[in-house]
Amino acid sequence: MKLEELKKRREENFLAHKKKKREYYLKSKKEKIKKEAIDYEKELNDINFSDKIKEIAHKQKEYLDSRKDKILKKMREYKELKKEYYEQNREKRLQYNKEYRDKKKEELKLYRQEYYKKLKEKQTEVNNG
């Protein structure tokens, strides 16, 4: 076989595969549409609207109740994990906080010095002027 013939055959196979894939996708999409077709005029009319809303709320509550234990378990696990992390890094955090406070203390001291210097200059200008 020549290179051109191989390229042509490869292209044909690729296009056939692409076509097959697209047909499969469209088929599955059509099936989903058929299953989920809802007549909203019929389902949510004035007569049974409140009943439908109650039914939906009831289903959601049942779902949450069924998952309640799992959710609470995950919350407890997260709390434990957070507590462990807090205990493990306690010393690091305390050291960091101490350094941070010292640094801020120095910055505040410098700021106050500058502030009082400017205030003193203003007062001398007012007294002289």
Side-chain angles (χ1 to χ4, degrees), residues 50-98:
S50 61
D51 294 335
K52 270 297 182 189
I53 296 298
K54 287 178 185 176
E55 181 184 332
I56 291 168
H58 183 70
K59 285 181 182 177
Q60 288 177 340
K61 187 177 184 322
E62 281 180 352
Y63 176 74
L64 285 177
D65 289 344
S66 69
R67 293 194 35 92
K68 184 179 180 179
D69 294 333
K70 288 181 183 179
I71 292 169
L72 290 174
K73 182 182 173 189
K74 282 188 179 184
M75 287 172 64
R76 282 191 296 272
E77 288 174 358
Y78 177 74
K79 202 173 189 179
E80 284 295 318
L81 188 68
K82 199 173 169 183
K83 188 176 181 180
E84 287 176 24
Y85 178 79
Y86 176 84
E87 290 170 359
Q88 286 175 354
N89 295 306
R90 185 172 185 260
E91 292 301 319
K92 289 181 191 175
R93 194 176 54 261
L94 290 174
Q95 183 64 32
Y96 172 79
N97 287 344
K98 183 180 177 185

Side-chain angles (χ1 to χ4, degrees), residues 13-26:
N13 287 341
F14 179 73
L15 290 174
H17 173 72
K18 200 171 179 182
K19 183 179 178 186
K20 188 176 176 183
K21 206 172 170 183
R22 176 133 179 91
E23 287 172 359
Y24 177 79
Y25 168 75
L26 290 174

Side-chain angles (χ1 to χ4, degrees), residues 100-116:
Y100 182 79
R101 282 192 306 271
D102 289 341
K103 181 180 146 192
K104 285 294 180 182
K105 186 194 276 186
E106 290 298 317
E107 290 177 6
L108 186 60
K109 190 176 179 182
L110 292 173
Y111 171 77
R112 285 182 180 149
Q113 287 175 352
E114 290 293 318
Y115 176 78
Y116 288 121

